[in-house]
Amino acid sequence: MLFSQFFAPTSKDIPADAKIASHILMLRSGMISQTASGIYCWLPLAVRVMEKITKIICEEQDRIGAQKVYFTTIQPADLWIESGRYDAYGKEMLRIKDRKEGDFLYSPTNEEQATDVFRKYVKSYRGMPVMLYQIHWKFRDEIRPRFGVMRGREFLMKDGYSFDINFDAAKETYQKIFRSYVRTFRRLGLTAVPVQADSGAIGGNMSHEFQVLAETGESTIYSDKRLFTASDEELMTTFAVTDEKYNPKECPIAESDLIVSKGIEVGHIFYFGQKYSKPMNAFVLNENGEKIYPEMGSYGIGVSRLIGAIIEASHDEHGIIWPEPVAPFDITILNLHTKNEKCVETARRIYDALSSSKEVLYDDRSITVGEKLADADLIGIPYQIIIGQKKIENGLVELKNRKTGEITEMSIEQVIARFM
Ligand code: ATP
Ligand code: MG
C-alpha cells in the first residue's frame, strides 16, 4: 500500500475532549472519526487491526467447535418480553418502531435470539451440544459514553452462546471457553487476567471477566500476586476480583500477597443455567424421552474496545506500538527523500520484494523528514525501514524496531532477507 493513496488522515493536534492515550492516538492516527457521542466510523487503519483481531478470535472459536453465525442487529421486542428482560433492560436499550408500529430494538446482546434459534431446530439431546457465536455490532445507549471506543454506544462484540444437556456438560464447556479466551488474548499480544465475577447460581466460579491491566482502566482489581505466574489451569481458581466484589473481611489472601491494579474489561464469560431456556420454553427430549431445559452460557469479547485496550497497554509518548499479531501492517518503508532517484529506486525495490509475503505500507508522500518519522512512530507499525540519501550512497538503509527503538544499519539485501 502506498501511503500517498492510503486513507489515514493523521494529525498533530491533540483533540480537546480526548482524555486517555488510546482515544487521543486513535484520533490522531486517523483510525476513527466520531459521528455522534459514542458512535464512530472506523477508517482503514482501524479496520485492518479489527480484521486481524477477528481472524484470531474466529480461529480460536473454530478450534473449540463454536460455529459462526450472524444473528441480527434488529430484533423484535417479543423475544425480550418472553424472557422478561424487555422492561428490565431500561434505557440502555435502543427501542425502535417499524412502519406498522411494531416494537423492535437494536441488539445490545443476543441471548434471547440465540435461544429462539436453538428451540426452533433442536428437539433432541442428540443435536447437542450447540455452540454458536457471531462478531457483530451492538448498540447500548450508555449513560456516559467515554474514552473513545472503550465505552461506545455502538460497538463490535464477539458474542457466543452455548447449549448443553446438563450441568456437568455446561461446566466442561465453560472451562473450554475459559482456556480458549486465555489463548485468544495471548495470541493478541495481551496479558488479560481472568477475574472472578458473580458466581453462578450453582456455586463455583462460573463467571469470569478478562481484564487488561492498564492505569486508565475503569475497574479496580484485587488479585493474588501468584496470578501473574499461574499456569493456565491455576488461572481459573487463583484469587482475583473487582472492587464490586472485593470485601477485605472475606478476602482469602494475606494482605502481603494482594496486588491492587486497574483493568479494562475486554471479555466476560458466564454460565447462567436455564435462565433463558426455561421462560422461553426451549426444551429438548433426553434419552428417556423426558423434557429437559438446556444449560446455557454466554461469552463476550469487546472487539472494538480491545483496540483501545491494546493501545493503552502498548504505546509511548510518540504513538502506538502495535503487537505484531494485530499490527495494521508488518513493515513501513520510509523514503525520506522522494526526489532522490536512488532513494526512490531503493524504496521501490524493497517494497516489491517484501510485498509478496508481508503487509507493507510504503510512505512515498512528499512531506518533511520530521513529519514522516513522526507519523511512522504515531501509527506504530512494528518495523520501519528508513531510506535516507546519505546512507544510501554507501548502499545502507536503517531498520528501526518501533518497540525497542533500536536502529540497525544494513544493506538492501540484508533488510530484504530479514523479512523473507
Ligand atoms: P461493562 O461493565 O464494561 O459495561 P458489560 O458487563 O456491560 O461491560 P458484557 O455485556 O459482558 O459487558 O459485554 C461483553 C464485552 O463487551 C465486555 O466485556 C466489553 O469488553 C464489551 N463492552 C461492553 N460494553 C461496551 C461498550 N459500551 N463499548 C465497548 N465495548 C463494550
Ligand atoms: Mg455495561
Side-chain angles (χ1 to χ4, degrees):
M1 174 64 67
L2 300 184
F3 206 140
S4 58
Q5 290 164 21
F6 188 54
F7 192 80
T10 57
S11 151
K12 285 201 219 48
D13 304 332
I14 297 179
D17 60 333
K19 303 265 183 293
I20 62 171
S22 58
H23 190 191
I24 294 169
L25 292 172
M26 287 181 81
L27 288 166
R28 284 195 50 215
S29 61
M31 291 175 74
I32 49 171
S33 166
Q34 186 173 348
T35 196
S37 169
I39 307 179
Y40 293 87
C41 298
W42 296 79
L43 306 185
L45 202 54
V47 170
R48 294 182 76 96
V49 175
M50 200 176 255
E51 283 172 358
K52 294 267 166 73
I53 294 175
T54 54
K55 183 163 181 281
I56 290 173
I57 292 174
C58 291
E59 284 170 8
E60 292 305 323
Q61 290 295 299
D62 288 352
R63 191 196 293 278
I64 56 165
Q67 293 172 60
K68 191 172 184 180
V69 297
Y70 282 111
F71 295 118
T72 65
T73 53
I74 307 290
Q75 302 179 38
D78 287 349
L79 285 176
W80 288 63
I81 292 168
E82 249 189 281
S83 74
R85 275 212 291 185
Y86 190 58
D87 292 328
Y89 214 91
K91 291 205 163 200
E92 263 191 32
M93 178 186 279
L94 180 64
R95 293 154 209 262
I96 302 165
K97 281 217 189 284
D98 72 358
R99 66 199 297 163
K100 295 179 185 149
E101 292 293 307
D103 287 314
F104 288 82
L105 56 101
Y106 197 106
S107 303
T109 178
N110 293 67
E111 279 82 3
E112 283 81 354
Q113 203 173 39
T115 308
D116 184 47
V117 169
F118 177 89
R119 72 179 169 186
K120 276 187 199 149
Y121 304 109
V122 186
K123 306 288 181 191
S124 153
Y125 72 97
R126 284 193 202 89
M128 293 174 71
V130 171
M131 228 194 308
L132 302 175
Y133 79 99
Q134 64 168 351
I135 296 178
H136 219 184
W137 295 93
K138 302 286 182 287
F139 193 93
R140 293 183 187 174
D141 205 350
E142 298 275 357
I143 187 162
R144 227 179 306 134
R146 56 184 174 155
F147 301 151
V149 303
M150 294 283 205
R151 186 165 295 285
R153 292 197 293 166
E154 185 178 73
F155 58 96
L156 190 63
M157 196 205 286
K158 172 262 161 181
D159 45 325
Y161 307 91
S162 66
F163 302 82
D164 278 289
I165 195 79
N166 56 37
F167 175 70
D168 285 344
K171 190 171 170 187
E172 219 170 277
T173 296
Y174 184 90
Q175 288 167 347
K176 197 151 77 171
I177 303 264
F178 182 98
R179 287 191 291 269
S180 155
Y181 270 40
V182 170
R183 222 187 124 91
T184 302
F185 292 120
R186 193 175 293 144
R187 279 191 64 190
L188 294 171
L190 283 173
T191 308
V193 300
V195 171
Q196 289 135 27
D198 275 343
S199 18
I202 314 185
N205 294 308
M206 293 286 275
S207 179
H208 284 87
E209 290 171 2
F210 288 81
Q211 300 267 357
V212 171
L213 301 186
E215 279 164 26
T216 46
E218 289 185 288
S219 325
T220 305
I221 302 160
Y222 295 82
S223 60
D224 184 335
K225 66 180 182 200
R226 282 166 285 230
L227 188 76
F228 302 94
T229 50
S231 70
D232 289 4
E233 291 310 314
E234 291 162 344
L235 273 179
M236 203 181 293
T237 47
T238 304
F239 178 80
V241 295
T242 59
D243 45 352
E244 287 161 16
K245 236 191 136 190
Y246 178 67
N247 178 349
K249 292 201 189 86
E250 285 170 18
C251 182
I253 302 297
E255 220 183 302
S256 55
D257 285 338
L258 202 64
I259 292 182
V260 185
S261 30
K262 290 278 181 192
I264 301 165
E265 182 194 319
V266 291
H268 191 178
I269 59 177
F270 49 105
Y271 157 79
F272 42 71
Q274 300 169 333
K275 183 174 172 194
Y276 300 93
S277 56
K278 256 200 178 144
M280 294 184 70
N281 203 29
F283 64 85
V284 298
L285 298 181
N286 70 10
E287 60 262 58
N288 304 321
E290 297 154 346
K291 256 191 187 181
I292 62 124
Y293 294 97
E295 299 282 329
M296 293 177 58
S298 76
Y299 317 93
I301 296 179
V303 177
S304 50
R305 179 181 285 181
L306 259 173
I307 299 178
I310 291 168
I311 297 173
E312 287 300 324
S314 186
H315 70 273
D316 64 14
E317 67 271 32
H318 304 295
I320 303 166
I321 304 171
W322 290 112
E324 289 184 34
V326 297
F329 293 90
D330 303 311
I331 302 161
T332 181
I333 298 172
L334 310 183
N335 178 2
L336 300 185
H337 303 99
T338 50
K339 294 201 175 68
N340 178 306
E341 242 173 69
K342 186 97 181 131
C343 287
V344 173
E345 187 200 314
T346 305
R348 194 75 221 184
R349 187 172 146 208
I350 298 173
Y351 178 64
D352 289 343
L354 295 182
S355 291
S356 57
S357 58
K358 296 285 170 196
E359 292 175 320
V360 186
L361 180 67
Y362 167 20
D363 195 345
D364 60 334
R365 296 174 300 166
S366 300
I367 55 173
T368 68
V369 168
E371 286 169 327
K372 202 166 269 189
L373 295 171
D375 263 3
D377 280 354
L378 172 65
I379 288 175
I381 295 165
Y383 294 97
Q384 303 171 8
I385 297 173
I386 304 168
I387 301 161
Q389 59 193 10
K390 278 213 194 87
K391 297 235 156 59
I392 203 64
E393 287 305 319
N394 302 317
L396 294 173
V397 300
E398 290 177 325
L399 175 65
K400 176 173 165 181
N401 180 321
R402 175 66 183 89
K403 189 171 171 190
T404 62
E406 192 189 349
I407 296 177
T408 320
E409 273 184 18
M410 41 179 88
S411 69
I412 299 168
E413 290 71 25
Q414 277 172 323
V415 85
I416 292 171
R418 165 71 180 73
F419 293 104
M420 294 299 271

